[in-house]
mmCIF file of all heavy atoms in Angstrom:
data_model
loop_
_atom_site.group_PDB
_atom_site.id
_atom_site.type_symbol
_atom_site.label_atom_id
_atom_site.label_comp_id
_atom_site.label_asym_id
_atom_site.label_seq_id
_atom_site.Cartn_x
_atom_site.Cartn_y
_atom_site.Cartn_z
ATOM 1 N N ARG G 54 116.419 85.763 85.505
ATOM 2 C CA ARG G 54 117.648 85.618 86.305
ATOM 3 C C ARG G 54 118.846 86.223 85.582
ATOM 4 O O ARG G 54 119.653 86.918 86.189
ATOM 5 C CB ARG G 54 117.896 84.150 86.632
ATOM 6 C CG ARG G 54 116.962 83.648 87.704
ATOM 7 C CD ARG G 54 117.345 82.248 88.142
ATOM 8 N NE ARG G 54 116.534 81.895 89.277
ATOM 9 C CZ ARG G 54 115.566 80.992 89.252
ATOM 10 N NH1 ARG G 54 115.299 80.343 88.148
ATOM 11 N NH2 ARG G 54 114.866 80.727 90.337
ATOM 12 N N ALA G 55 118.966 85.953 84.302
ATOM 13 C CA ALA G 55 120.092 86.495 83.541
ATOM 14 C C ALA G 55 120.029 88.021 83.511
ATOM 15 O O ALA G 55 121.061 88.692 83.637
ATOM 16 C CB ALA G 55 120.104 85.928 82.126
ATOM 17 N N ILE G 56 118.818 88.568 83.393
ATOM 18 C CA ILE G 56 118.671 90.028 83.394
ATOM 19 C C ILE G 56 119.105 90.600 84.740
ATOM 20 O O ILE G 56 119.837 91.586 84.804
ATOM 21 C CB ILE G 56 117.219 90.442 83.068
ATOM 22 C CG1 ILE G 56 116.875 90.101 81.616
ATOM 23 C CG2 ILE G 56 117.012 91.939 83.321
ATOM 24 C CD1 ILE G 56 115.398 90.248 81.273
ATOM 25 N N ARG G 57 118.658 89.970 85.825
ATOM 26 C CA ARG G 57 119.021 90.463 87.158
ATOM 27 C C ARG G 57 120.526 90.390 87.388
ATOM 28 O O ARG G 57 121.121 91.301 87.959
ATOM 29 C CB ARG G 57 118.259 89.691 88.237
ATOM 30 C CG ARG G 57 116.767 90.048 88.238
ATOM 31 C CD ARG G 57 115.991 89.252 89.234
ATOM 32 N NE ARG G 57 116.335 89.606 90.606
ATOM 33 C CZ ARG G 57 115.897 88.930 91.660
ATOM 34 N NH1 ARG G 57 115.112 87.896 91.510
ATOM 35 N NH2 ARG G 57 116.238 89.306 92.870
ATOM 36 N N VAL G 58 121.144 89.316 86.916
ATOM 37 C CA VAL G 58 122.594 89.178 87.055
ATOM 38 C C VAL G 58 123.295 90.225 86.193
ATOM 39 O O VAL G 58 124.223 90.896 86.659
ATOM 40 C CB VAL G 58 123.049 87.743 86.711
ATOM 41 C CG1 VAL G 58 124.567 87.659 86.593
ATOM 42 C CG2 VAL G 58 122.539 86.764 87.777
ATOM 43 N N LEU G 59 122.855 90.399 84.948
ATOM 44 C CA LEU G 59 123.457 91.403 84.068
ATOM 45 C C LEU G 59 123.347 92.800 84.680
ATOM 46 O O LEU G 59 124.307 93.579 84.653
ATOM 47 C CB LEU G 59 122.798 91.378 82.688
ATOM 48 C CG LEU G 59 123.371 92.364 81.663
ATOM 49 C CD1 LEU G 59 124.773 91.949 81.243
ATOM 50 C CD2 LEU G 59 122.464 92.472 80.453
ATOM 51 N N LEU G 60 122.188 93.118 85.251
ATOM 52 C CA LEU G 60 122.014 94.425 85.886
ATOM 53 C C LEU G 60 122.988 94.596 87.054
ATOM 54 O O LEU G 60 123.580 95.661 87.223
ATOM 55 C CB LEU G 60 120.572 94.608 86.368
ATOM 56 C CG LEU G 60 119.548 94.895 85.273
ATOM 57 C CD1 LEU G 60 118.127 94.789 85.828
ATOM 58 C CD2 LEU G 60 119.775 96.258 84.651
ATOM 59 N N ASN G 61 123.172 93.554 87.849
ATOM 60 C CA ASN G 61 124.104 93.635 88.976
ATOM 61 C C ASN G 61 125.541 93.773 88.509
ATOM 62 O O ASN G 61 126.304 94.553 89.065
ATOM 63 C CB ASN G 61 123.950 92.416 89.885
ATOM 64 C CG ASN G 61 122.939 92.659 90.961
ATOM 65 O OD1 ASN G 61 123.298 93.052 92.053
ATOM 66 N ND2 ASN G 61 121.667 92.464 90.660
ATOM 67 N N VAL G 62 125.908 93.030 87.468
ATOM 68 C CA VAL G 62 127.273 93.123 86.939
ATOM 69 C C VAL G 62 127.503 94.519 86.375
ATOM 70 O O VAL G 62 128.529 95.149 86.638
ATOM 71 C CB VAL G 62 127.533 92.033 85.877
ATOM 72 C CG1 VAL G 62 128.877 92.263 85.191
ATOM 73 C CG2 VAL G 62 127.484 90.643 86.501
ATOM 74 N N GLY G 63 126.538 95.031 85.619
ATOM 75 C CA GLY G 63 126.678 96.368 85.046
ATOM 76 C C GLY G 63 126.694 97.463 86.090
ATOM 77 O O GLY G 63 127.408 98.452 85.955
ATOM 78 N N SER G 64 125.936 97.283 87.154
ATOM 79 C CA SER G 64 125.835 98.314 88.192
ATOM 80 C C SER G 64 126.945 98.233 89.237
ATOM 81 O O SER G 64 127.380 99.259 89.750
ATOM 82 C CB SER G 64 124.484 98.218 88.908
ATOM 83 O OG SER G 64 123.430 98.540 88.031
ATOM 84 N N TYR G 65 127.405 97.023 89.577
ATOM 85 C CA TYR G 65 128.337 96.862 90.685
ATOM 86 C C TYR G 65 129.654 96.177 90.309
ATOM 87 O O TYR G 65 130.492 95.953 91.173
ATOM 88 C CB TYR G 65 127.679 96.076 91.826
ATOM 89 C CG TYR G 65 126.396 96.696 92.306
ATOM 90 C CD1 TYR G 65 125.174 96.066 92.096
ATOM 91 C CD2 TYR G 65 126.399 97.931 92.950
ATOM 92 C CE1 TYR G 65 123.989 96.645 92.524
ATOM 93 C CE2 TYR G 65 125.228 98.507 93.381
ATOM 94 C CZ TYR G 65 124.016 97.867 93.164
ATOM 95 O OH TYR G 65 122.856 98.436 93.583
#
Side-chain angles (χ1 to χ4, degrees):
R54 285 188 173 110
I56 292 170
R57 289 177 68 188
V58 169
L59 182 69
L60 285 169
N61 270 265
V62 172
S64 294
Y65 304 112

